[in-house]
């Protein structure tokens, strides 16, 4: 990873930036962001900035909008604020044309996303969430790439009922979306009991510490007590401005990188001793996936290792990193507002110095660590405490009953009724039936078999992810979740013809360049460009530590197999022992290696014809 080491130029100290050579960094701002709505407008800040400031701590017109029964929608401004409450307004795009023809309002509904730090839920919570899916949503639970659940198809008149059900499970949706710290992900490796416990506890503590303190969520959705009189509400960490954009934190435990630590704003990598006991955390900053097609000043970026901290300092470091981003982040241009751009703009050295100033402690030098993959471990494993854990493969995280196939919704409901442990969602959209006592394993196994639940899949399929995309996501340019299974079937045929059917290769698909399924760190990445058209990216590292490179633009869906087949053939013939596909296509000269950040957009395209 490039660490922005200073070099000398004729103009004095400068810094090396990946792909673009020596450059100067800007001087960081001082003080807190503008928190007056009029001043924010006059300063040319993004509309969302004065919207947040004037929202009365995220209330806006949401309470009044819920009472307007003549429409299934809410206002555009409230549509931005409702994200902080954990939901997005959407419509069924499959029905748009027909409803427009009939002069009907779009089929509006809401996606609701939960805050479940570390992805751990009890059997009781599972049953409540299952009932919510079939009562108020579209009959499915969806495990997301952020280690939580989301619901689709909740109509406006059912929002408060759904929120009450979530509250009864002792869960909430606060800050699952919006310009705040979002759901904190943590490693789920059940075999490393002590390390997982440390990762989960850190994730839960960070999530609670960095949670917005506004009472707006309980006031609006649960008819909670309102703030009255002269008492003014106060956000001690966020202030009136909250953050410039979303902020994502993950906790990783080597050797598994299933949380994709390098793809996020802030990460903690567990450093363990020979007995798997935690000694501290390497701290990573500046990762992020989103970009905009055709705008090279936007790009995905892998995080850099900023330093090492002791366990007792980790929460303070997390808050310091987030508040530096709060104060330094770009509030004029939302497309350049994430932490990755802040570090590109001001440099890692300056950022680290400010974090150390706010924590009052120097970070140590990073400790060595090794990742071997960013996928899940399927099937049964036994922890070092004698408990058993079963990881199930759930295609794209969609928990539903498949006709003539796995009965995920019914089966997991039945398991929740008898399970004595807990459930864990993974960052790869799968489900772990965790902490099964040895005496209950046979009963769980029997239910898994009865409902045809999948304890694995083919090598390519079990290393796949897809975002929701159409029909509900308003940003989707192409299909993803509904398309990827069929594409994998085609590619499995191609791989088998070259004897590669058992090779582990990561493949991920998204319907737009925002990158929710983290396609830019998949060995094969597909990013929607339009109906049945995708940009094809290759060359990322199997362990999630290196970005891919654009190999071919605007590939039609029908041509993806033919484009990849000669590369598979060359891989089968010329690879070195143990060499992964992403490493091979770079070594063999098919595609350039991406170092980081702006370098993502340089030297794109196939470097030589595929044989």
């Amino acid at each position: 990873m490039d660490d922005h080491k200073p070099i000398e130029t004729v103009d004095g100290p400068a810094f090396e930036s990946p792909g673009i050579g020596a450059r100067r960094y800007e001087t960081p701002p001082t003080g807190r962001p503008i928190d007056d709505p009029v001043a924010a407008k006059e300063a040319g800040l993004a509309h969302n900035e004065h919207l947040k400031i004037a929202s009365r701590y995220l209330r806006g017109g949401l309470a009044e909008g819920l009472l307007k029964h003549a429409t299934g929608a809410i206002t555009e401004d409230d549509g931005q604020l409702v994200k902080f409450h954990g939901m997005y307004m959407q419509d069924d795009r499959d029905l748009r044309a027909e409803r427009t023809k009939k002069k009907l309002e779009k089929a509006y509904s809401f996606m609701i996303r939960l805050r479940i730090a570390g992805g751990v839920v009890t059997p009781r919570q599972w049953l409540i969430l299952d009932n919510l899916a079939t009562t108020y949503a579209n009959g499915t639970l969806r495990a997301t790439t952020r280690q939580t659940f989301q619901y689709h198809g909740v109509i406006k008149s059912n929002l408060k009922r759904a929120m009450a059900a979530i509250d009864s499970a002792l869960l909430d949706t606060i800050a699952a979306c919006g310009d705040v710290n979002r759901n904190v992900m943590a490693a789920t490796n059940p075999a490393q009991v002590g390390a997982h416990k440390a990762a989960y506890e850190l994730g839960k503590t960070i999530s609670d510490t960095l949670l917005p303190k506004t009472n707006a969520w309980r006031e609006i959705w649960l008819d909670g007590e309102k703030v009255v009189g002269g008492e003014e509400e106060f956000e001690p960490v966020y202030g009136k401005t909250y953050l410039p954009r979303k902020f994502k934190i993950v906790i990783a435990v080597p050797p598994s990188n299933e949380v994709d630590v390098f793809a996020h704003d802030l990460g903690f990598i567990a450093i363990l001793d020979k007995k798997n006991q935690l000694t501290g955390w390497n701290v990573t900053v500046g990762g992020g996936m989103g970009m905009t097609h055709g705008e090279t000043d936007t790009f995905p970026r892998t995080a850099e290792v900023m330093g090492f901290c002791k366990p007792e300092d980790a929460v303070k470091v997390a808050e310091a990193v987030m508040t530096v981003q709060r104060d330094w982040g770009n509030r004029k241009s939302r497309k350049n507002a994430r932490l990755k751009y802040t570090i590109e703009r001001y440099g890692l050295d300056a950022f680290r110095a400010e974090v150390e100033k706010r924590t009052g402690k120097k970070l140590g030098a990073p400790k060595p660590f090794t990742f071997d993959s960013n996928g899940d471990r399927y099937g049964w494993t036994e922890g070092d405490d004698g408990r058993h854990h079963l990881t199930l493969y759930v295609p794209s995280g969609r928990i539903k009953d498949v006709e003539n196939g796995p009965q995920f919704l019914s089966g997991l409901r039945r398991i929740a009724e008898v399970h004595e442990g807990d459930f864990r969602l993974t960052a790869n959209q799968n489900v772990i039936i965790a902490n099964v006592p040895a005496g209950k394993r046979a009963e769980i196994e029997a239910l898994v078999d009865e409902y045809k639940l999948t304890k694995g899949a083919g090598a390519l399929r079990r290393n796949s992810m897809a975002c929701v995309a159409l029909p509900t996501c308003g940003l989707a340019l192409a299909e993803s979740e509904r398309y990827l299974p069929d594409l994998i079937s085609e590619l499995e045929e191609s791989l088998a013809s070259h004897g590669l059917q058992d090779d582990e290769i990561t493949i991920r698909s998204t319907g737009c360049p925002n990158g929710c399924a983290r396609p830019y760190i998949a060995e094969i990445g597909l990013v929607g460009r339009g109906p049945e058209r995708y940009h094809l990216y290759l060359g990322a590292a199997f362990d999630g530590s290196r970005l891919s490179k654009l190999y071919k633009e605007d590939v039609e869906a029908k041509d993806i197999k033919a484009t990849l087949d000669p590369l598979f053939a060359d891989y089968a013939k010329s690879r070195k022992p143990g060499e992964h596909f992403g490493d091979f296509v770079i070594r063999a000269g098919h595609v350039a290696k991406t170092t980081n950040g702006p370098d993502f957009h340089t030297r794109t395209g196939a470097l030589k014809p595929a044989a």
Side-chain angles (χ1 to χ4, degrees), residues 44 54 63 80 99 123 192 227 248 251 256 288 400 407 411 431 500 524 527 529 585 596 601:
Q80 294 299 317
R99 293 182 70 85
Q192 297 170 284
V227 176
K248 298 178 178 180
I251 324 292
S256 176
K400 64 179 182 179
Q407 305 294 293
V431 175
L500 299 172
I524 301 172
V527 178
R529 280 279 294 166
V585 293
N596 208 353
H601 293 302

PDB file of all heavy atoms in Angstrom, residues 44 54 63 80 99 123 192 227 248 251 256 288 400 407 411 431 500 524 527 529 585 596 601:
ATOM      1  N   GLY A  44     -21.845  28.499  -0.518  1.00  0.00           N
ATOM      2  CA  GLY A  44     -21.898  27.575  -1.651  1.00  0.00           C
ATOM      3  C   GLY A  44     -21.809  26.114  -1.263  1.00  0.00           C
ATOM      4  O   GLY A  44     -21.386  25.277  -2.073  1.00  0.00           O
ATOM      5  N   ALA A  54     -30.816  22.934   9.093  1.00  0.00           N
ATOM      6  CA  ALA A  54     -32.153  23.475   9.372  1.00  0.00           C
ATOM      7  C   ALA A  54     -33.166  22.405   9.758  1.00  0.00           C
ATOM      8  O   ALA A  54     -34.343  22.709   9.973  1.00  0.00           O
ATOM      9  CB  ALA A  54     -32.650  24.239   8.141  1.00  0.00           C
ATOM     10  N   ALA A  63     -42.731  14.069  10.346  1.00  0.00           N
ATOM     11  CA  ALA A  63     -43.946  13.757  11.110  1.00  0.00           C
ATOM     12  C   ALA A  63     -45.194  14.206  10.358  1.00  0.00           C
ATOM     13  O   ALA A  63     -46.198  13.474  10.297  1.00  0.00           O
ATOM     14  CB  ALA A  63     -43.877  14.408  12.492  1.00  0.00           C
ATOM     15  N   GLN A  80     -34.245  12.990   1.811  1.00  0.00           N
ATOM     16  CA  GLN A  80     -32.845  13.008   2.225  1.00  0.00           C
ATOM     17  C   GLN A  80     -32.711  12.792   3.734  1.00  0.00           C
ATOM     18  O   GLN A  80     -31.858  12.033   4.193  1.00  0.00           O
ATOM     19  CB  GLN A  80     -32.201  14.347   1.840  1.00  0.00           C
ATOM     20  CG  GLN A  80     -32.089  14.577   0.343  1.00  0.00           C
ATOM     21  CD  GLN A  80     -31.220  13.532  -0.346  1.00  0.00           C
ATOM     22  OE1 GLN A  80     -30.160  13.165   0.154  1.00  0.00           O
ATOM     23  NE2 GLN A  80     -31.678  13.045  -1.485  1.00  0.00           N
ATOM     24  N   ARG A  99     -47.774   2.371 -14.910  1.00  0.00           N
ATOM     25  CA  ARG A  99     -48.450   3.340 -14.053  1.00  0.00           C
ATOM     26  C   ARG A  99     -48.436   4.730 -14.681  1.00  0.00           C
ATOM     27  O   ARG A  99     -49.409   5.492 -14.556  1.00  0.00           O
ATOM     28  CB  ARG A  99     -47.827   3.354 -12.661  1.00  0.00           C
ATOM     29  CG  ARG A  99     -48.059   2.051 -11.895  1.00  0.00           C
ATOM     30  CD  ARG A  99     -47.481   2.112 -10.493  1.00  0.00           C
ATOM     31  NE  ARG A  99     -48.221   3.020  -9.628  1.00  0.00           N
ATOM     32  CZ  ARG A  99     -49.315   2.688  -8.944  1.00  0.00           C
ATOM     33  NH1 ARG A  99     -49.826   1.466  -9.052  1.00  0.00           N
ATOM     34  NH2 ARG A  99     -49.912   3.573  -8.162  1.00  0.00           N
ATOM     35  N   PRO A 123     -32.188 -15.692  18.456  1.00  0.00           N
ATOM     36  CA  PRO A 123     -33.329 -16.367  17.830  1.00  0.00           C
ATOM     37  C   PRO A 123     -34.643 -15.606  17.999  1.00  0.00           C
ATOM     38  O   PRO A 123     -35.464 -15.561  17.076  1.00  0.00           O
ATOM     39  CB  PRO A 123     -33.359 -17.715  18.549  1.00  0.00           C
ATOM     40  CG  PRO A 123     -31.934 -17.967  18.921  1.00  0.00           C
ATOM     41  CD  PRO A 123     -31.405 -16.617  19.305  1.00  0.00           C
ATOM     42  N   GLN A 192     -12.346 -18.543  16.027  1.00  0.00           N
ATOM     43  CA  GLN A 192     -11.471 -17.719  16.869  1.00  0.00           C
ATOM     44  C   GLN A 192     -12.334 -16.991  17.901  1.00  0.00           C
ATOM     45  O   GLN A 192     -12.651 -15.824  17.782  1.00  0.00           O
ATOM     46  CB  GLN A 192     -10.709 -16.709  16.004  1.00  0.00           C
ATOM     47  CG  GLN A 192      -9.762 -17.334  14.993  1.00  0.00           C
ATOM     48  CD  GLN A 192      -9.222 -16.315  14.018  1.00  0.00           C
ATOM     49  OE1 GLN A 192      -9.917 -15.889  13.109  1.00  0.00           O
ATOM     50  NE2 GLN A 192      -7.981 -15.915  14.185  1.00  0.00           N
ATOM     51  N   VAL A 227     -38.993  16.953  22.694  1.00  0.00           N
ATOM     52  CA  VAL A 227     -38.212  17.955  23.405  1.00  0.00           C
ATOM     53  C   VAL A 227     -39.017  19.247  23.406  1.00  0.00           C
ATOM     54  O   VAL A 227     -39.393  19.766  22.359  1.00  0.00           O
ATOM     55  CB  VAL A 227     -36.847  18.182  22.729  1.00  0.00           C
ATOM     56  CG1 VAL A 227     -36.085  19.292  23.433  1.00  0.00           C
ATOM     57  CG2 VAL A 227     -36.040  16.894  22.755  1.00  0.00           C
ATOM     58  N   LYS A 248     -18.036   4.613   7.093  1.00  0.00           N
ATOM     59  CA  LYS A 248     -18.157   3.180   7.334  1.00  0.00           C
ATOM     60  C   LYS A 248     -16.938   2.640   8.073  1.00  0.00           C
ATOM     61  O   LYS A 248     -15.801   2.906   7.685  1.00  0.00           O
ATOM     62  CB  LYS A 248     -18.341   2.444   6.003  1.00  0.00           C
ATOM     63  CG  LYS A 248     -19.619   2.861   5.265  1.00  0.00           C
ATOM     64  CD  LYS A 248     -19.766   2.148   3.932  1.00  0.00           C
ATOM     65  CE  LYS A 248     -21.060   2.548   3.243  1.00  0.00           C
ATOM     66  NZ  LYS A 248     -21.219   1.844   1.933  1.00  0.00           N
ATOM     67  N   ILE A 251     -14.205  -4.043  11.494  1.00  0.00           N
ATOM     68  CA  ILE A 251     -13.216  -4.673  12.358  1.00  0.00           C
ATOM     69  C   ILE A 251     -12.855  -6.021  11.742  1.00  0.00           C
ATOM     70  O   ILE A 251     -13.734  -6.865  11.541  1.00  0.00           O
ATOM     71  CB  ILE A 251     -13.755  -4.917  13.789  1.00  0.00           C
ATOM     72  CG1 ILE A 251     -14.693  -3.783  14.246  1.00  0.00           C
ATOM     73  CG2 ILE A 251     -12.619  -5.175  14.752  1.00  0.00           C
ATOM     74  CD1 ILE A 251     -14.042  -2.467  14.471  1.00  0.00           C
ATOM     75  N   SER A 256      -8.635 -13.940   7.935  1.00  0.00           N
ATOM     76  CA  SER A 256      -9.774 -13.702   7.059  1.00  0.00           C
ATOM     77  C   SER A 256     -10.070 -12.212   6.948  1.00  0.00           C
ATOM     78  O   SER A 256     -10.096 -11.496   7.944  1.00  0.00           O
ATOM     79  CB  SER A 256     -11.020 -14.418   7.600  1.00  0.00           C
ATOM     80  OG  SER A 256     -12.144 -14.105   6.807  1.00  0.00           O
ATOM     81  N   GLY A 288     -12.870   3.226   0.191  1.00  0.00           N
ATOM     82  CA  GLY A 288     -14.230   3.527  -0.249  1.00  0.00           C
ATOM     83  C   GLY A 288     -14.433   3.077  -1.678  1.00  0.00           C
ATOM     84  O   GLY A 288     -13.499   3.096  -2.478  1.00  0.00           O
ATOM     85  N   LYS A 400     -35.546 -16.075   1.330  1.00  0.00           N
ATOM     86  CA  LYS A 400     -36.905 -16.327   0.866  1.00  0.00           C
ATOM     87  C   LYS A 400     -37.039 -17.811   0.568  1.00  0.00           C
ATOM     88  O   LYS A 400     -36.051 -18.550   0.526  1.00  0.00           O
ATOM     89  CB  LYS A 400     -37.201 -15.518  -0.397  1.00  0.00           C
ATOM     90  CG  LYS A 400     -36.340 -15.899  -1.595  1.00  0.00           C
ATOM     91  CD  LYS A 400     -36.699 -15.074  -2.829  1.00  0.00           C
ATOM     92  CE  LYS A 400     -35.854 -15.496  -4.046  1.00  0.00           C
ATOM     93  NZ  LYS A 400     -36.208 -14.714  -5.247  1.00  0.00           N
ATOM     94  N   GLN A 407     -35.648 -23.504   1.073  1.00  0.00           N
ATOM     95  CA  GLN A 407     -36.693 -22.764   1.777  1.00  0.00           C
ATOM     96  C   GLN A 407     -36.027 -21.953   2.891  1.00  0.00           C
ATOM     97  O   GLN A 407     -36.142 -22.259   4.081  1.00  0.00           O
ATOM     98  CB  GLN A 407     -37.738 -23.733   2.334  1.00  0.00           C
ATOM     99  CG  GLN A 407     -38.342 -24.665   1.298  1.00  0.00           C
ATOM    100  CD  GLN A 407     -39.168 -23.913   0.263  1.00  0.00           C
ATOM    101  OE1 GLN A 407     -40.214 -23.360   0.581  1.00  0.00           O
ATOM    102  NE2 GLN A 407     -38.693 -23.899  -0.984  1.00  0.00           N
ATOM    103  N   GLY A 411     -37.151 -22.301   6.653  1.00  0.00           N
ATOM    104  CA  GLY A 411     -36.172 -23.127   7.342  1.00  0.00           C
ATOM    105  C   GLY A 411     -35.484 -22.401   8.476  1.00  0.00           C
ATOM    106  O   GLY A 411     -35.333 -22.932   9.586  1.00  0.00           O
ATOM    107  N   VAL A 431     -25.354 -16.368   6.146  1.00  0.00           N
ATOM    108  CA  VAL A 431     -25.872 -16.512   7.508  1.00  0.00           C
ATOM    109  C   VAL A 431     -25.127 -17.628   8.231  1.00  0.00           C
ATOM    110  O   VAL A 431     -24.953 -18.725   7.677  1.00  0.00           O
ATOM    111  CB  VAL A 431     -27.384 -16.827   7.498  1.00  0.00           C
ATOM    112  CG1 VAL A 431     -27.891 -17.100   8.921  1.00  0.00           C
ATOM    113  CG2 VAL A 431     -28.168 -15.677   6.876  1.00  0.00           C
ATOM    114  N   LEU A 500     -11.186 -25.598 -14.433  1.00  0.00           N
ATOM    115  CA  LEU A 500     -11.051 -24.610 -13.370  1.00  0.00           C
ATOM    116  C   LEU A 500     -12.266 -24.555 -12.447  1.00  0.00           C
ATOM    117  O   LEU A 500     -12.412 -23.613 -11.657  1.00  0.00           O
ATOM    118  CB  LEU A 500     -10.839 -23.213 -13.975  1.00  0.00           C
ATOM    119  CG  LEU A 500      -9.599 -23.012 -14.842  1.00  0.00           C
ATOM    120  CD1 LEU A 500      -9.643 -21.639 -15.528  1.00  0.00           C
ATOM    121  CD2 LEU A 500      -8.334 -23.138 -14.000  1.00  0.00           C
ATOM    122  N   ILE A 524     -13.167 -10.458 -10.578  1.00  0.00           N
ATOM    123  CA  ILE A 524     -14.024 -10.144 -11.726  1.00  0.00           C
ATOM    124  C   ILE A 524     -15.112  -9.218 -11.202  1.00  0.00           C
ATOM    125  O   ILE A 524     -15.895  -9.606 -10.334  1.00  0.00           O
ATOM    126  CB  ILE A 524     -14.661 -11.408 -12.346  1.00  0.00           C
ATOM    127  CG1 ILE A 524     -13.590 -12.385 -12.816  1.00  0.00           C
ATOM    128  CG2 ILE A 524     -15.592 -11.031 -13.499  1.00  0.00           C
ATOM    129  CD1 ILE A 524     -14.151 -13.732 -13.261  1.00  0.00           C
ATOM    130  N   VAL A 527     -19.963  -3.729 -13.379  1.00  0.00           N
ATOM    131  CA  VAL A 527     -20.608  -2.509 -12.911  1.00  0.00           C
ATOM    132  C   VAL A 527     -21.550  -2.013 -13.997  1.00  0.00           C
ATOM    133  O   VAL A 527     -21.124  -1.741 -15.132  1.00  0.00           O
ATOM    134  CB  VAL A 527     -19.558  -1.429 -12.567  1.00  0.00           C
ATOM    135  CG1 VAL A 527     -20.243  -0.140 -12.128  1.00  0.00           C
ATOM    136  CG2 VAL A 527     -18.626  -1.940 -11.471  1.00  0.00           C
ATOM    137  N   ARG A 529     -23.827  -0.196 -16.646  1.00  0.00           N
ATOM    138  CA  ARG A 529     -23.718   1.025 -17.456  1.00  0.00           C
ATOM    139  C   ARG A 529     -25.048   1.400 -18.095  1.00  0.00           C
ATOM    140  O   ARG A 529     -25.283   2.544 -18.432  1.00  0.00           O
ATOM    141  CB  ARG A 529     -22.673   0.826 -18.555  1.00  0.00           C
ATOM    142  CG  ARG A 529     -21.257   0.990 -18.072  1.00  0.00           C
ATOM    143  CD  ARG A 529     -20.878   2.447 -17.990  1.00  0.00           C
ATOM    144  NE  ARG A 529     -20.855   3.055 -19.330  1.00  0.00           N
ATOM    145  CZ  ARG A 529     -20.821   4.368 -19.551  1.00  0.00           C
ATOM    146  NH1 ARG A 529     -20.849   5.204 -18.537  1.00  0.00           N
ATOM    147  NH2 ARG A 529     -20.770   4.845 -20.772  1.00  0.00           N
ATOM    148  N   VAL A 585      -3.831 -12.261 -14.269  1.00  0.00           N
ATOM    149  CA  VAL A 585      -4.123 -11.393 -15.417  1.00  0.00           C
ATOM    150  C   VAL A 585      -3.190 -10.183 -15.453  1.00  0.00           C
ATOM    151  O   VAL A 585      -2.930  -9.619 -16.523  1.00  0.00           O
ATOM    152  CB  VAL A 585      -5.605 -10.954 -15.433  1.00  0.00           C
ATOM    153  CG1 VAL A 585      -6.518 -12.133 -15.690  1.00  0.00           C
ATOM    154  CG2 VAL A 585      -5.991 -10.221 -14.162  1.00  0.00           C
ATOM    155  N   ASN A 596      -3.489   2.573  -6.401  1.00  0.00           N
ATOM    156  CA  ASN A 596      -4.510   3.100  -5.506  1.00  0.00           C
ATOM    157  C   ASN A 596      -5.110   4.371  -6.077  1.00  0.00           C
ATOM    158  O   ASN A 596      -4.549   4.992  -6.972  1.00  0.00           O
ATOM    159  CB  ASN A 596      -3.933   3.393  -4.109  1.00  0.00           C
ATOM    160  CG  ASN A 596      -4.995   3.284  -3.018  1.00  0.00           C
ATOM    161  OD1 ASN A 596      -6.164   3.130  -3.322  1.00  0.00           O
ATOM    162  ND2 ASN A 596      -4.573   3.352  -1.772  1.00  0.00           N
ATOM    163  N   HIS A 601      -7.988   5.027 -12.773  1.00  0.00           N
ATOM    164  CA  HIS A 601      -8.460   5.447 -14.096  1.00  0.00           C
ATOM    165  C   HIS A 601      -7.345   5.537 -15.136  1.00  0.00           C
ATOM    166  O   HIS A 601      -7.595   5.966 -16.268  1.00  0.00           O
ATOM    167  CB  HIS A 601      -9.166   6.798 -13.993  1.00  0.00           C
ATOM    168  CG  HIS A 601     -10.453   6.763 -13.230  1.00  0.00           C
ATOM    169  ND1 HIS A 601     -11.510   5.962 -13.586  1.00  0.00           N
ATOM    170  CD2 HIS A 601     -10.838   7.444 -12.116  1.00  0.00           C
ATOM    171  CE1 HIS A 601     -12.509   6.146 -12.729  1.00  0.00           C
ATOM    172  NE2 HIS A 601     -12.126   7.028 -11.831  1.00  0.00           N
TER     173      HIS A 601
END
